[in-house]
Amino acid sequence: MAPNDKLRDKLRDALPRSPKSASRRNFVKALGAAGVALPALAMLPRWGFADDVAAYANAAIGWKQFAGQTITLAGAIHPWSNAIVPLLPDFTKLTGINLVTDFRLETTYLGALPIQLNRHDSTPDVFMFTTYGQGISGGWVEPLNAYYADKSLTDPGWYDENDILKTARAFPLWRDGERYAIPITSEAVTLFINGEALAAKNLAVPQTFEALLATANAIKTDEMSGIAMRAQAGGNSSVPAMAFLFSYGGAMVDDNKAAFGSPEAIAAIEMYGQLLRQAGPGGVSGYEWYHVLDDFLQRRTAMAIDSSNFATDISNPAKSHVAGKAMFAAFPHVVGRTSVPFMSHWQACINSRSRNKRAAFLFLLWATSKPTSMRTAAAGLATTRVSAWSSQGFKKAFGAQAAEAALTNLQNADVERAKAILFHPQSRPILDAFMIGVNEVVSGTRPAKIAMTNAAEKANAVIRG
């Protein structure tokens, strides 16, 4: 089967089955550490707006109904912000709504946002969000089902939720069926390989974890580690390790208890530790995502496992020494099991204290619509739209093989297992406890059984309060 045929079939499978079905990063230099004010957008690349007016005019939506209002958009410096910011003046032309933007380094943003929301500030009106459960229980985020049902705000036929990936449709659904967020990106843990390094050893792409370990040890040299993954003792580093845990049959949270002291979890993290102890780079116990990406771009590691959104940087000749030589593959699996990569969707929410909620919803509708998604996808953004994933612009910017691997991993992912940890009200301390245990295994401080049992006990103490 030709690559494009495979991608077409994966996209077909990614579609929701019926209207009722449940429905990184660039380096931080991209926009700078300070908030981006709208007047500065004139310096950013722009797309022609006139050619796209008809795509929005076809919607039965009064785009100008909130003209003159101003909304604040906040988020992390991220591929989504890089892709959407150049288009914001076009949103203002279409709607008459003014935008003020505040994008910061991810760690700075994620630390500051809960403080801002907890003191009931009316801004930001719209914000990128990850700690969904905390936001809902704290009353910080606005429920959205009524906005979707409002015919003056939403044209369901034009917006076409059936075009949204199944995982993205299911992701924001809360246990009561309410939606408090709109997904804005799609990503799944993916295996990246330096094709030249693999060919030099005449090795095949590893499909199982045992093969991954053997390949990592065989491919490493004095100048190049065999594999790089995150291992820093903090929750932000947990993404690849959770993919191992899920694929071994484990769960992060089960019945409101931390479950990573289970035999499956211990086996998964023991393999994770073996890989990095035997074939990882020096100092890997301090690695975050940017260390992993930089090592792969600079040919300092032969393989890496992390977010599928790394593909745009990996394939960019201006940044990457492996552009055109990298391979993108399905996440490995345990013999006799199907792989279960960790997946997630960055989401955007409306502040429950916002004074401009309807204008804010109109912005989110525009930002995640088909025509806007086609434009952001052409910049390499992995959106939530099937039509955008299948577009030539996206395949050129992201890479056909990278898109195929990402879709395979999204299809194999378990949305509910991911949501169980991501949406838990205590997700951050649970993830921190988990990664402290993983870090101890990677550094060789403690064996996996002791480290992960202790980590689960610490997390459960937090859950119990």
Side-chain angles (χ1 to χ4, degrees):
M1 184 181 289
N4 284 345
D5 293 335
K6 291 181 182 178
L7 184 58
R8 181 193 63 218
D9 290 345
K10 291 180 190 301
L11 288 164
R12 179 195 64 213
D13 294 340
L15 280 165
R17 298 301 182 192
S18 74
K20 294 182 180 179
S21 64
S23 92
R24 149 151 294 183
R25 313 168 192 231
N26 292 328
F27 284 108
V28 293
K29 298 176 182 177
L31 289 178
V36 181
L38 195 54
L41 297 176
M43 299 182 291
L44 295 170
R46 294 286 306 283
W47 289 48
F49 178 60
D51 296 337
D52 294 289
V53 169
Y56 301 100
N58 290 335
I61 295 172
W63 290 110
K64 294 287 189 182
Q65 60 187 300
F66 307 115
Q69 292 189 18
T70 298
I71 60 175
T72 299
L73 170 63
I77 295 171
H78 179 274
W80 184 75
S81 56
N82 294 346
I84 203 70
V85 163
L87 308 185
L88 297 183
D90 294 343
F91 173 76
T92 298
K93 286 182 182 178
L94 177 69
T95 65
I97 298 169
N98 299 305
L99 283 152
V100 175
T101 61
D102 180 15
F103 290 106
R104 310 181 193 184
L105 300 178
E106 185 172 318
T107 51
T108 303
Y109 171 71
L110 292 177
L113 182 65
I115 298 170
Q116 195 169 356
L117 295 174
N118 199 42
R119 66 181 182 226
H120 306 306
D121 287 2
S122 62
T123 59
D125 300 280
V126 178
F127 49 89
M128 293 171 65
F129 203 49
T130 56
T131 53
Y132 199 47
Q134 182 186 24
I136 293 170
S137 63
W140 300 343
V141 291
E142 181 76 359
L144 301 179
N145 281 0
Y147 295 83
Y148 279 104
D150 187 336
K151 295 299 176 62
S152 69
L153 282 174
T154 306
D155 179 346
W158 177 82
Y159 189 66
D160 189 10
E161 287 196 89
N162 287 324
D163 181 52
I164 295 174
L165 292 166
K166 285 191 296 185
T167 54
R169 282 176 64 97
F171 203 69
L173 287 177
W174 196 238
R175 59 180 67 97
D176 60 359
E178 182 64 78
R179 287 179 284 186
Y180 296 83
I182 298 180
I184 54 177
T185 65
S186 305
E187 58 187 303
V189 172
T190 295
L191 171 62
F192 314 115
I193 305 170
N194 181 324
E196 285 188 336
L198 196 70
K201 298 284 188 175
N202 196 28
L203 296 168
V205 173
Q207 297 183 15
T208 67
F209 289 111
E210 294 297 337
L212 182 68
L213 179 61
T215 302
N217 278 307
I219 207 170
K220 68 181 180 181
T221 67
D222 291 341
E223 294 78 31
M224 182 185 291
S225 68
I227 189 167
M229 298 183 290
R230 308 186 208 185
Q232 197 175 93
N236 199 54
S237 294
S238 60
V239 168
M242 286 194 289
F244 275 65
L245 185 154
F246 291 167
S247 293
Y248 271 76
M252 288 291 292
V253 177
D254 186 27
D255 193 25
N256 200 34
K257 295 179 182 177
F260 39 83
S262 69
E264 295 83 2
I266 290 166
I269 303 309
E270 174 56 32
M271 173 57 75
Y272 199 83
Q274 282 187 59
L275 279 159
L276 293 179
R277 288 195 307 271
Q278 294 179 21
V284 71
S285 62
Y287 266 43
E288 240 291 356
W289 66 263
Y290 42 86
H291 300 106
V292 175
L293 178 57
D294 193 42
D295 273 11
F296 193 75
L297 297 181
Q298 303 302 324
R299 296 173 54 88
R300 290 195 295 266
T301 189
M303 296 189 295
I305 289 178
D306 214 293
S307 167
S308 53
N309 283 346
F310 286 6
T312 48
D313 284 330
I314 290 170
S315 300
N316 184 347
K319 296 181 178 181
S320 172
H321 290 286
V322 293
K325 302 166 187 174
M327 303 170 68
F328 304 86
F331 188 72
H333 62 88
V334 175
V335 175
R337 288 182 177 270
T338 301
S339 71
V340 185
F342 179 82
M343 56 70 59
S344 68
H345 297 278
W346 263 97
Q347 302 192 105
C349 298
I350 295 174
N351 187 344
S352 63
R353 302 281 177 163
S354 168
R355 299 188 181 97
N356 304 294
K357 294 175 185 177
R358 288 166 62 81
F361 183 80
L362 196 65
F363 168 77
L364 287 177
L365 203 75
W366 169 85
T368 57
S369 67
K370 278 186 180 181
T372 304
S373 295
M374 291 291 280
R375 299 173 73 188
T376 55
L381 182 71
T383 72
T384 61
R385 290 275 177 182
V386 173
S387 56
W389 277 77
S390 62
S391 67
Q392 289 301 314
F394 177 68
K395 285 185 275 190
K396 181 179 179 181
F398 198 78
Q401 187 188 62
E404 182 184 334
L407 278 172
T408 295
N409 292 322
L410 280 166
Q411 287 173 330
N412 289 338
D414 185 333
V415 178
E416 296 307 316
R417 256 190 284 187
K419 286 169 64 172
I421 176 59
L422 291 177
F423 296 174
H424 195 284
Q426 298 293 333
S427 61
R428 178 52 58 178
I430 295 170
L431 289 169
D432 285 343
F434 172 69
M435 278 311 295
I436 289 171
V438 173
N439 178 270
E440 290 175 340
V441 177
V442 170
S443 64
T445 304
R446 287 179 173 173
K449 184 173 183 178
I450 294 174
M452 301 316 298
T453 300
N454 289 349
E457 288 174 354
K458 290 177 183 176
N460 282 321
V462 172
I463 294 171
R464 290 191 299 268

